Amino acid sequence: MARVFSGIQPSGELHIGNYLGAVTNWVALQEQHECFFCIVDYHAITQDYEPQELEARTFDMAVSLVAAGVDPEKCVLFVQSHVPEHTELAWVFMTVTPLGELERMTQFKDKSQRQESVLAGLLNYPVLQAADVLLYRADTVPVGEDQVQHIELMREIARKWNARYGTGFFPEPDAALSGKARRILGLDGEAKMSKSLGNTIGILEQPEEIWQRLRPAVTDPARVTKKDPGTPEVCNLYALHQLFSPSSTVEEVAQKCRSAGWGCLDCKRVLADNMSTRLAPIRERAAELRADPDRMGELLAAGADRARAVARETMREVRERMGLLPGEARAPANR
Ligand code: TYM
C-alpha cells in the first residue's frame, strides 16, 4: 500500500484551486492508502503574516478540510508544528541540500522578488517540505502543478541523504496530479488561482458572494459585446464549467458562446448556480464543525499523536545512521 503525504498552508481560506487541484485527490486517496495530511503552519510563517490571526486560520483550514471530505477516521490529519520532528529533519536535510538548487526554485525566485530583504526561511522552505514528506517515508504526494519542482528537489534530497547515510532508506516520492485541475486559473484569467493574488473563490463562500466574485471575472477578450461570438476554449469560465457543471450544460455553454446566444453574464449566472449547489454540502458541514471547536481540537490532537509515533521512529533511525550520540544514558557502541 502506497503511503501518501500532502500539506496545505493555513495562509488564507481553502479556495477552489486548492480544492480541485489537491484536496479532492486527498479525499479519493484516503479510501485505499495510508494517508497523512498536514496543515503546514511553519511554512505559512515564511511570508508576512499576522500572529494573532494564525491560530484561527489553522483552525479554519482544519474545518474546511474535514468539511471537504478529508476524514480523520480514514487518514491522519494534523498540524505541522505539533510534530517537532518536521523541523528537526529539515535541519538534517539542510546539510545535504546544495544552495544553488534552492536558489533556482521558481517559487523562491517569484516570492523573493516581491520582498525587500529575503529571509533564510523562504529559501529553505522546500527543505522543510522535503522533511514533511520523507519523515513519513511517503512515496506519493497529491499536489497541484505548482509543487512539482519542489517534489523534484525532494527526490534529490532523498537521493543525496541516502547516498551518504543509508541506501534506500528514504523513498523518492512522486507527485500525483489531478487531470484537468492541476492548475486552476484565477478569476483574472491569467495567473494561477492563489490566496496571495486575491483572485480566488473560497469553498465556503455563500451563493451571493460566489456570484459577486464571478460577475467581474475575465472571459474571452474577443467578446466585447453580447453579440460577439466567443471561443469557449480560451475562456477560463468555460474551464470552470467543465469542473462544476454537468456535461450537458458544458455542451450548451460551448454552443451558446460560439453562437453568441448567451452573453458572458448569462454563462456566469449558470456557473455561479452550479458552483453554489456543488459547494452547499461543504458549507453546511463546515458550519456544524465550527459549532464544536473542542471536537476539532481533539481530532487534531489525535492526528498529531499518530503522526508523532511514525515521525519519532524515523528520526531515531536517522540519528543512528548519522552517528549522533543517543540521548538515553548509554555509552557509544564502540567503547
Ligand atoms: P498551498 O498551500 O499553496 O496549496 C495547497 C495545495 O493546493 C494546490 N494548489 C492548486 N492546484 C491547482 N490550481 C491552483 N490554482 C492551485 N493553488 C494551489 C497546491 O499545488 C497544493 O497541492 N508548499 C505547499 C504546502 C506543502 C506541501 C508539503 C505540499 C508543505 N509541505 C508537503 C505537499 C507535501 C503549498 O504551498 O501549498
Side-chain angles (χ1 to χ4, degrees):
M1 188 161 73
R3 194 176 261 184
V4 175
F5 184 100
S6 200
I8 187 162
Q9 297 190 69
S11 46
E13 60 184 3
L14 181 64
H15 58 70
I16 60 172
N18 306 132
Y19 175 62
L20 297 171
V23 176
T24 49
N25 231 351
W26 300 9
V27 174
L29 286 164
Q30 71 185 355
E31 295 301 329
Q32 296 200 358
H33 300 278
E34 193 183 5
C35 293
F36 292 79
F37 297 129
C38 184
I39 302 172
V40 292
D41 48 357
Y42 275 142
H43 278 107
I45 62 169
T46 59
Q47 287 211 277
D48 226 10
Y49 80 105
E50 289 302 326
Q52 59 279 26
E53 284 174 10
L54 183 59
E55 189 179 332
R57 288 196 165 180
T58 305
F59 177 83
D60 286 349
M61 184 54 78
V63 165
S64 299
L65 290 173
V66 176
V70 174
D71 182 349
E73 302 273 315
K74 296 182 180 162
C75 69
V76 180
L77 175 66
F78 68 105
V79 175
Q80 187 185 36
S81 64
H82 295 178
V83 183
E85 284 82 357
H86 286 249
T87 41
E88 194 179 354
L89 186 58
W91 177 259
V92 164
F93 283 163
M94 275 185 235
T95 67
V96 295
T97 307
L99 179 60
E101 293 296 316
L102 295 173
E103 284 169 338
R104 70 175 190 84
M105 292 290 111
T106 50
Q107 292 214 345
F108 170 70
K109 287 198 273 189
D110 286 352
K111 289 181 184 169
S112 57
Q113 264 167 15
R114 287 185 244 146
Q115 292 180 6
E116 248 173 54
S117 100
V118 179
L119 300 175
L122 193 62
L123 179 73
N124 287 308
Y125 179 114
V127 184
L128 180 58
Q129 184 161 348
D132 292 340
V133 175
L134 295 173
L135 192 52
Y136 302 92
R137 296 161 83 183
D139 40 31
T140 305
V141 192
V143 283
E145 199 173 66
D146 60 341
Q147 297 302 316
V148 167
Q149 197 186 34
H150 286 166
I151 292 169
E152 278 162 13
L153 177 63
M154 189 180 293
R155 294 168 64 86
E156 189 180 340
I157 291 175
R159 260 196 312 275
K160 286 213 161 21
W161 190 93
N162 285 347
R164 174 97 171 88
Y165 300 110
T167 314
F169 182 72
F170 286 118
E172 289 182 35
D174 288 308
L177 299 175
S178 63
K180 270 189 204 159
R182 56 179 58 194
R183 185 168 185 269
I184 307 274
L185 288 186
L187 298 177
D188 50 13
E190 266 178 30
K192 181 190 78 167
M193 183 172 284
S194 161
K195 294 164 247 197
S196 57
L197 298 176
N199 60 4
T200 61
I201 296 185
I203 63 156
L204 301 184
E205 290 195 83
Q206 297 293 335
E208 182 53 28
E209 290 169 320
I210 293 179
W211 170 237
Q212 291 306 336
R213 285 192 177 272
L214 278 177
R215 235 157 63 123
V218 174
T219 59
D220 175 1
R223 298 205 70 185
V224 180
T225 73
K226 212 173 160 172
K227 294 201 188 86
D228 299 319
T231 310
E233 290 73 21
V234 304
C235 178
N236 187 32
L237 273 290
Y238 182 62
L240 291 175
H241 266 295
Q242 289 177 310
L243 295 162
F244 283 99
S245 298
S247 54
S248 55
T249 309
V250 174
E251 274 170 37
E252 190 181 8
V253 165
Q255 191 262 321
K256 292 273 178 19
C257 177
R258 283 198 186 95
S259 64
W262 281 354
C264 290
L265 270 186
D266 303 317
C267 175
K268 287 173 176 175
R269 187 69 258 179
V270 176
L271 178 60
D273 290 345
N274 289 335
M275 222 180 242
S276 302
T277 308
R278 164 93 170 269
L279 299 176
I282 302 182
R283 226 172 27 242
E284 284 158 22
R285 177 106 182 86
E288 286 165 24
L289 291 162
R290 217 183 284 282
D292 191 355
D294 292 346
R295 173 87 191 111
M296 200 66 212
E298 283 162 20
L299 289 175
L300 291 175
D305 282 345
R306 290 167 67 196
R308 228 178 279 120
V310 180
R312 208 174 275 151
E313 182 50 27
T314 304
M315 279 316 297
R316 193 192 57 72
E317 285 203 48
V318 164
R319 282 191 222 102
E320 191 177 297
R321 284 167 193 256
M322 294 180 76
L324 296 160
L325 179 68
E328 308 90 68
R330 208 157 19 97
N334 56 357
R335 287 246 171 125

